[in-house]
Amino acid sequence: MALRAAGELVSLAGLGSALGPGRGSNSGSNPGSDPGSDPVAALDSYGLDRLTELVAGLDGPTLDENAVIFEPPVATCTKICCLALNYQEHADESGLEVPPEPVLFFKPPSALVGHNQPVVAPTRTRHLEHEVELAVVIGKVTRDLPEERWREAVAGYTVINDMTARDLQLANISRNVPWDQSKGFDTFAPTGPYLATVDEVPDPQELELTLEVDGEIRQRANTKQMVFGLPRLIADLSDGMTLMPGDLIATGTIAGIAPLKDGDTMRATVAGIGTLVNTVKFRSA
């Protein structure tokens, strides 16, 4: 599906067969991807200008957002690259120093879940926290990209909520062992609702981030406050590691992390990109 300039939600199902061949893949995306169900593949197949024109000309009925089941806005993702302590105030509230170099950890693609879908905590944790972040969506095979060319890698942007089982994370940190599991459970990477294309986000380093829980604003800051900006992050991550189309870079959270309880509804917003809504569920022990 796609959101047109008029705010209308339309289906892109069968885009490739209904609207004729695109220009073909030249970025290494999955050649079997259906452009109607894979936004990154659609951008690769048609190009931004042509895809915008095709979407504007679709004649099908508009969709009711409340009746749509949202999937994550990437159909294929090999990895979610996450940055730790990339905002000074978040480092301060965590009692940690900002690192001299970007600190990376990963979430598995199995952690992805879409807008309006529940975040389900496993029974082993009783302390779940939210972390609103700007996510960069990679649009082509990228390796060893210099900072000045970082935009070449980007298909667009979306919202991600880096869910964390804080009790498990802190326990692992205290034992000096990896804490990836506390970040990587199923549904711990809610993402969406949409992929905002690069023309819609002229300056990704000037975007307000907010997170509300049941109407209470808990997190608020601006992406201009990142310690390491997008040029540095993409250059650093692609140095010796191939980024694939559909891969996500979660660029770090802001101050205001706090515990959640069963039934809480989170609204994670990146201005100009969208609001991602998810409800928390704790399983019975």
Side-chain angles (χ1 to χ4, degrees), residues 3-15:
L3 189 65
R4 287 197 284 220
E8 299 169 326
L9 193 63
V10 294
S11 174
L12 298 185
L15 179 67

Side-chain angles (χ1 to χ4, degrees), residues 127-147:
H127 186 164
L128 196 62
E129 293 191 356
H130 52 75
E131 298 188 12
V132 60
E133 305 188 15
L134 169 69
V136 177
V137 181
I138 298 300
K140 71 173 189 176
V141 175
T142 300
R143 181 172 170 175
D144 301 327
L145 191 69
E147 288 191 31

Side-chain angles (χ1 to χ4, degrees), residues 3-212:
L3 189 65
R4 287 197 284 220
E8 299 169 326
L9 193 63
V10 294
S11 174
L12 298 185
L15 179 67
S17 59
L19 297 174
R23 64 185 183 185
S25 174
N26 58 15
S27 65
S29 58
N30 183 351
S33 296
D34 174 12
S37 60
D38 184 342
V40 177
L43 283 166
D44 181 41
S45 180
Y46 297 104
L48 179 57
D49 291 343
R50 177 58 177 154
L51 184 60
T52 300
E53 179 183 330
L54 292 174
V55 169
L58 286 176
D59 294 328
T62 58
L63 306 174
D64 179 358
E65 183 173 337
N66 295 322
V68 170
I69 297 175
F70 282 79
E71 298 290 342
V74 289
T76 302
C77 177
T78 70
K79 52 190 168 294
I80 306 168
C81 306
C82 305
L83 278 298
L85 303 175
N86 199 27
Y87 288 83
Q88 179 69 59
E89 290 185 356
H90 173 55
D92 292 344
E93 73 175 350
S94 302
L96 300 169
E97 294 184 1
V98 169
E101 302 286 337
V103 173
L104 173 68
F105 64 92
F106 293 96
K107 284 178 180 268
S110 55
L112 286 167
V113 69
H115 172 63
N116 283 337
Q117 302 303 307
V119 170
V120 182
T123 56
R124 68 180 70 193
T125 180
R126 296 288 94 183
H127 186 164
L128 196 62
E129 293 191 356
H130 52 75
E131 298 188 12
V132 60
E133 305 188 15
L134 169 69
V136 177
V137 181
I138 298 300
K140 71 173 189 176
V141 175
T142 300
R143 181 172 170 175
D144 301 327
L145 191 69
E147 288 191 31
E148 64 272 14
R149 294 172 51 197
W150 70 274
R151 292 183 185 273
E152 296 178 17
V154 179
Y157 306 92
T158 190
V159 186
I160 191 167
N161 191 346
D162 174 17
M163 302 301 301
T164 306
R166 195 70 69 195
D167 48 354
L168 304 183
Q169 183 192 38
L170 293 176
N172 286 335
I173 289 173
S174 70
R175 295 166 50 213
N176 199 30
V177 298
W179 39 263
D180 299 71
Q181 186 183 46
S182 67
K183 297 274 194 175
F185 293 113
D186 290 355
T187 74
F188 270 37
T191 305
Y194 304 109
L195 166 66
T197 51
V198 293
D199 60 314
E200 297 175 295
V201 188
D203 186 359
Q205 300 284 186
E206 190 62 64
L207 301 173
E208 185 173 84
L209 307 167
T210 57
L211 187 133
E212 299 180 18

Side-chain angles (χ1 to χ4, degrees), residues 61 243-244:
L243 303 176
M244 298 296 294

